[in-house]
C-alpha cells in the first residue's frame, strides 16, 4: 500500500472502485453498530451488579450515625465525601457529593453563575454585557453545549500534547469577559492527553482579569487507566490554593465509569468557601441527594485502593476493545498517510484526525452502512470543526467482534472520503 | 377552664404563674424533640426497606428491553412513566420521571423559565423588568424560597377552605408581570385542604395576561390519605387542556413519602409540547436520571392499587401521631379560645393558628425547652406572617410517646404567649 498522496489519478480511481465494492458488500450485511458515546458495555455492567446485593442488614442504612434513608446531609454523607477526597487527593471538607450525574453538577455551577453569580462575581453573569468561555478543542461536546446554552461566546483553544495551549489561555484570560475554561485534565476527552505538570502549574498561576473566572476541572477519568498501574495526578485544589487563588477551580468526578453510567454517584470539589456558597444555593433546589446510593457505593468501593483494583478489572474488559480500534487504524490507515491518532493510555476514547475536509463525508458513509458515530465536528465549539477532520471513536460499548466489523467499515469510509477529496 | 379572653387580670396572672412552673419543670427534662419537617419516622422507613431486596436477578435490570444500568431514556423508563401516569390519572407521554427530588424538578422548571423562558415566553424571565408570583398562604416555605431566590416579587393569596381565594387569583393574573402560582392541591401544605372541584375548574379557566403563566401544581400528597380510603382527585392536565390551555400547568409528584425521602423517585407531568421543550433543555444538564432506582420502584410499587395498599400501612403508622397532636390541641387549647386548627384527613402537617402576634414568642419558648419547630412565619412569603399566627406542626418523625411530650410543651408555650399578649 502506498500513501494516497502518491497515487496517480488512475490508481486513485482503481482504489476507489475497489473500496466501493468492499463498502457495498459491508453495507449489505445490514449492520447496526454504535461507537458514538462512552457507554460501558454489558460485561462491565454485569461485573459490578453485585453492588445491589448490599444494603440488606439494618445497620447498612446507617453511616456515621446518619440514617441514609431520610432527609438531610446536603453535602453528602461524610463517608462518601471521604471516599472521593481520597481518590482526588483533596480534603473531605472540600467535597460535595451529589446525585447520579457530574454533568448536572457542572450545569448547576454554570447555571448558578448565570443566575446568581459566583463568590467573587460583581454581578450575576446574566447581567453581564457578554460572557466568553474557553474551550480546549477537540473537547467534550456536552461541556461546550452547557456554555453555549447560556449564550456564552465559545473560544477555541488548541490542544497540545501537554494539554491546552497555555500561551493562548494566558493571553485569553486578560479579557475580563472571559469567565472560565473547560478542562478534562487526565485522559482528555477525546485525545486521551494527560496535562503536564508544567500545564497544571501554569493553570494554578493564572491571573485572569475576571475576578470570578472558573476553571471547570472535569476529572472524569481520574482513575481510568487503560494499561499499567494507576498514574498519580497532582491535586489542582492545592495548586490553586498555593498560588493564592483557592476559589478559581471547581473539580468534578463521578463513578459513572466505575459502577454505572446514570446510576452512580458524583461530586464536585472546591475551596471550603466555594463549597459553603454553593451549598447555600443548592439548598434552594434540593433537600438532599440520594444518600442510599452514596452509602451503597461506600460499602461497595470501600476506599481508593479497593476501587483501583476494580478499575483493573474494567481495564481487562476495555483494553482489548481499544487495541482492536487502534490496531485497525495502524494496519489499515497508517500506511496511507490519511489520518493521525494516539494510542490512549486511559479514558474512554480514541481521537482520530482524518484528512482535513473529509470527516463529515466519512461519517456520512459510516451512517449509511449502519455504523453510528459521534457527529463530525462535535468535539469543537458549536459543533463546527474548522478543519472537518476530528472524529471521536468510542470503543467501550460493542464487543470486540462487533468492533472489528465496525472498524472495517470505518476504515473503508475514511479511505473513500480521502480519495474523493484527492480527486477520483 | 374558661376562655382566656374572659379571664380577669388577676386570673391571667395566676394562670401564667402556674404555666411558668409547668414550663420550667418540662424544660428541666432536657428534651430534644423535633416537629419541624415532614420527615417520615424510622418505622415507616423500615417498613419499605425490603425494596432493597429487589434487583438481584439479571432480568431485573431490564425494563421494556432497556438496560436500566446504562445511559439513556432521558424522560425515564416507560414503566416508571406508566406508574406515575396511573397514580396521577394522566397519560404516560405526559410524564417525565426524574431523580430523587421533585423539588429539584420544580426548581429546574423555574430556573429554566428564568434563563431560557418557557414555551410561550416572549423572552427569558431574567430579561423581564419584573416577575411577580402568587403564593397561596399559608404554604410551603421551600416553594416560596425558590421563587424568592430568583428575585420574583411574592404576592400572598389567602387560603380558604376550598383552596386559594380564586377571586384574588383571577384578579391578580390580569397583571402581565404575574407569571405563575404555587399550589399543593390535595392536602395542602400545611393546612391539609383539598381544593374543591369549583377551584379546579376556575384554575383551568384562568386567562392570565402573561402568555407563559405557569400553575406549579405540586401534588405531593396525591395518595397520602390519613384516614379512610383513597380520595380520587381530578386530573388538572385534562382540565387545562379542556379549557384550551394545555401548556399552563406543570404537575409534580414523588415517592418521597411513599418509599424514601431523598432516595425515592420524582416526576413532573405536563402537556406533550411542554415535555418536549423541557426534555430538550434538560438534556443539556444530564444524560439520564437514575433508572436503576426507577426500576427498583416499579418492581416494588407495581401499580396504583398496590401502591395504595402500601399507603394504608403508612396511615397505620401516621394516624396515631396525627391524632396525638390534634387531641392535645383539642383538649388543651380548644377550651381557651386562643387557637384554631383543622383535623387533616391527609398530608403531613397540622396547621395551627395561634392568637395573632404570639406565634414567634410561642416557638421561642418551645426552642428554649428543646422542641424544634418550623420557624414562625415560614409558611408565608419572605418568612413573614403578617399576623404572626400560623405554626406548622409536623407530627411524622417522633414516636407517639415523644410527640405527647412535645405537644405538652407546645401547648404550655402557646398558652404562655397568649397570656403575655393579653397582659399579665
Amino acid at each position: 500500500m502506498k500513501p494516497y498522496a502518491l497515487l496517480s489519478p488512475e490508481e486513485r480511481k482503481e482504489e476507489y472502485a475497489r473500496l466501493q465494492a468492499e463498502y457495498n458488500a459491508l453495507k449489505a450485511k445490514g449492520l447496526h453498530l454504535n461507537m458514538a458515546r462512552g457507554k460501558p458495555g454489558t460485561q462491565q455492567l454485569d461485573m459490578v451488579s453485585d453492588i445491589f446485593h448490599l444494603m440488606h442488614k439494618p445497620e447498612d442504612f446507617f453511616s456515621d450515625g446518619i440514617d441514609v434513608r431520610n432527609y438531610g446531609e446536603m453535602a453528602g454523607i461524610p463517608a462518601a465525601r471521604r471516599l472521593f477526597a481520597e481518590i482526588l487527593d483533596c480534603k473531605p471538607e472540600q467535597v460535595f457529593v451529589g446525585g447520579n450525574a457530574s454533568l448536572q453538577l457542572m450545569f448547576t455551577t454554570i447555571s448558578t453563575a448565570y443566575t446568581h453569580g459566583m463568590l467573587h462575581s460583581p454581578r450575576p453573569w446574566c447581567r453581564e454585557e457578554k460572557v466568553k468561555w474557553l474551550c480546549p478543542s477537540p473537547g467534550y461536546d456536552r461541556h461546550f453545549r452547557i456554555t453555549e446554552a447560556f449564550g456564552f461566546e465559545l473560544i477555541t483553544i488548541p490542544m497540545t500534547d501537554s494539554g491546552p495551549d497555555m500561551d493562548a489561555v494566558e493571553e485569553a484570560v486578560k479579557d475580563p469577559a472571559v469567565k472560565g475554561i473547560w478542562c478534562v485534565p487526565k485522559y482528555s476527552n477525546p485525545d486521551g492527553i494527560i496535562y503536564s505538570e508544567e500545564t497544571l502549574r501554569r493553570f494554578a498561576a493564572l491571573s485572569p482579569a475576571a475576578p470570578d473566572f472558573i476553571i471547570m476541572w472535569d476529572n472524569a477519568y481520574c482513575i481510568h487507566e487503560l494499561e499499567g498501574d494507576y498514574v498519580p495526578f497532582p491535586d489542582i485544589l492545592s495548586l490553586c490554593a498555593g498560588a493564592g487563588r483557592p476559589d478559581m477551580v471547581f473539580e468534578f468526578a463521578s463513578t459513572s465509569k466505575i459502577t454505572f453510567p446514570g446510576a452512580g454517584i458524583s461530586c464536585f470539589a472546591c475551596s471550603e468557601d466555594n463549597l459553603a456558597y454553593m451549598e447555600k444555593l443548592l439548598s434552594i433546589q434540593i433537600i438532599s441527594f440520594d444518600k442510599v446510593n452514596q452509602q451503597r457505593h461506600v460499602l461497595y468501593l470501600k476506599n481508593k485502593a479497593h476501587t483501583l483494583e476494580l478499575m483493573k478489572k474494567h481495564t481487562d474488559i476495555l483494553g482489548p476493545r481499544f487495541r482492536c480500534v487502534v490496531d485497525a487504524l495502524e494496519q489499515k490507515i497508517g500506511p496511507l498517510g490519511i489520518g493521525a491518532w494516539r494510542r490512549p493510555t486511559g479514558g474512554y476514547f480514541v481521537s482520530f484526525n482524518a484528512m482535513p475536509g473529509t470527516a463529515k463525508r466519512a461519517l456520512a458513509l459510516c451512517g449509511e452502512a449502519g455504523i453510528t458515530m459521534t457527529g463530525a465536528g462535535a468535539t469543537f465549539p458549536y459543533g463546527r470543526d474548522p478543519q472537518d477532520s476530528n472524529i471521536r471513536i468510542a470503543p467501550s460499548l460493542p464487543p470486540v467482534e462487533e468492533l472489528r466489523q465496525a472498524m472495517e467499515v470505518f476504515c473503508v469510509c475514511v479511505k473513500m472520503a480521502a480519495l474523493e477529496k484527492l480527486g477520483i
Side-chain angles (χ1 to χ4, degrees), chain A:
Chain A
M1 281 196 282
K2 276 201 281 191
Y4 275 5
L6 305 184
L7 296 185
S8 68
E10 290 69 31
E11 284 173 317
R12 288 203 298 267
K13 266 195 184 45
E14 274 171 43
E15 171 77 351
Y16 191 77
R18 202 187 55 68
L19 287 168
Q20 217 162 14
E22 200 178 333
Y23 179 74
N24 288 332
L26 288 165
K27 203 169 146 183
K29 289 188 179 177
L31 302 172
H32 285 285
L33 304 171
N34 194 319
M35 298 193 294
R37 312 282 338 170
K39 287 172 90 165
T42 307
Q43 204 184 339
Q44 285 179 277
L45 302 179
D46 286 345
M47 185 180 79
V48 290
S49 288
D50 52 340
I51 192 174
F52 299 118
H53 299 182
L54 303 169
M55 311 292 292
H56 276 186
K57 302 185 296 298
E59 61 264 36
D60 292 339
F61 301 125
F62 291 83
S63 176
D64 292 302
I66 298 154
D67 188 332
V68 299
R69 300 167 300 177
N70 221 327
Y71 289 126
E73 296 301 311
M74 183 58 194
I77 55 172
R81 300 174 74 183
R82 289 193 296 266
L83 175 64
F84 272 121
E86 195 196 355
I87 289 174
L88 297 175
D89 200 16
C90 64
K91 290 184 250 166
E93 308 83 60
Q94 295 173 320
V95 175
F96 183 105
V97 184
N100 71 319
S102 58
L103 195 72
Q104 199 181 32
L105 295 177
M106 293 177 226
F107 176 90
T108 298
T109 306
I110 302 293
S111 183
T112 297
Y114 188 80
T115 58
H116 290 80
M118 302 305 287
L119 201 51
H120 302 293
S121 295
R123 63 194 72 85
W125 293 3
C126 68
R127 302 285 172 236
E128 296 283 358
E129 193 95 350
K130 184 164 202 80
V131 173
K132 300 180 188 172
W133 196 272
L134 308 183
C135 299
S137 303
Y140 182 30
D141 56 345
R142 291 188 186 271
H143 285 166
F144 299 164
R145 271 176 71 201
I146 290 175
T147 34
E148 187 185 351
F150 288 100
F152 302 173
E153 182 186 326
L154 308 186
I155 297 171
T156 300
I157 297 288
M159 279 296 282
T160 74
D161 282 341
S162 55
D165 177 340
M166 292 309 293
D167 291 342
V169 172
E170 283 160 0
E171 187 56 35
V173 302
K174 290 176 186 165
D175 179 352
V178 170
K179 291 287 198 184
I181 184 167
W182 288 115
C183 293
V184 182
K186 192 175 168 187
Y187 308 125
S188 68
N189 178 349
D191 285 322
I193 289 165
I194 301 188
Y195 290 14
S196 69
E197 297 219 4
E198 163 75 3
T199 298
L200 297 192
R201 201 192 48 70
R202 288 175 75 178
F203 261 115
L206 278 183
S207 184
D212 51 355
F213 181 91
I214 327 173
I215 303 171
M216 293 288 281
W217 199 254
D218 183 3
N219 211 343
Y221 308 110
C222 51
I223 55 171
H224 300 60
E225 276 69 30
L226 279 169
E227 49 185 54
D229 286 332
Y230 165 66
V231 177
F233 194 68
D235 165 36
I236 190 72
L237 302 186
S238 312
L239 292 177
C240 286
R245 285 195 174 69
D247 303 331
M248 189 169 58
V249 62
F250 276 80
E251 182 171 17
F252 300 87
S254 80
T255 70
S256 294
K257 276 109 189 182
I258 298 173
T259 56
F260 299 105
I265 59 173
S266 65
C267 78
F268 67 83
C270 58
S271 73
E272 290 176 63
D273 285 347
N274 270 336
L275 199 132
Y277 180 76
M278 288 301 294
E279 190 172 341
K280 198 173 132 233
L281 283 165
L282 277 159
S283 75
I284 295 164
Q285 64 174 284
I286 195 163
I287 302 175
S288 47
F289 285 91
D290 185 342
K291 296 188 302 297
V292 169
N293 206 29
Q294 291 178 9
Q295 166 76 343
R296 188 181 285 120
H297 278 76
V298 167
L299 293 175
Y300 189 69
L301 297 176
K302 294 189 175 93
N303 52 42
K304 184 171 185 171
H306 189 259
T307 308
L308 290 178
E309 280 172 41
L310 175 64
M311 294 313 288
K312 290 226 172 200
K313 295 181 198 163
H314 281 297
T315 302
D316 291 343
I317 298 170
L318 288 170
R321 287 170 162 79
F322 275 79
R323 282 194 290 278
C324 170
V325 166
V326 178
D327 290 352
L329 294 175
E330 284 182 358
Q331 288 157 24
K332 294 180 181 162
I333 304 294
L336 307 181
I338 55 166
W341 61 92
R342 286 182 182 79
R343 185 179 279 272
T345 56
Y348 259 68
F349 302 103
V350 176
S351 178
F352 178 76
N353 287 311
M355 228 175 70
T358 67
K360 270 203 188 113
R361 172 62 180 155
L363 293 192
L365 286 166
C366 279
E368 278 176 51
I371 311 296
T372 306
M373 306 282 296
T374 313
T379 52
F380 282 78
Y382 307 109
R384 288 195 301 265
D385 174 359
Q387 300 280 325
D388 184 26
S389 163
N390 189 249
I391 295 172
R392 188 182 81 161
I393 305 173
S396 53
L397 186 64
V400 171
E401 195 33 61
E402 288 185 16
L403 261 185
R404 198 166 287 136
Q405 285 195 304
M407 284 307 293
E408 207 177 328
V409 179
F410 178 76
C411 291
V412 168
C413 297
V414 166
K415 290 192 250 181
M416 286 173 72
L419 287 171
E420 288 173 11
K421 188 78 186 172
L422 290 165
I424 41 164

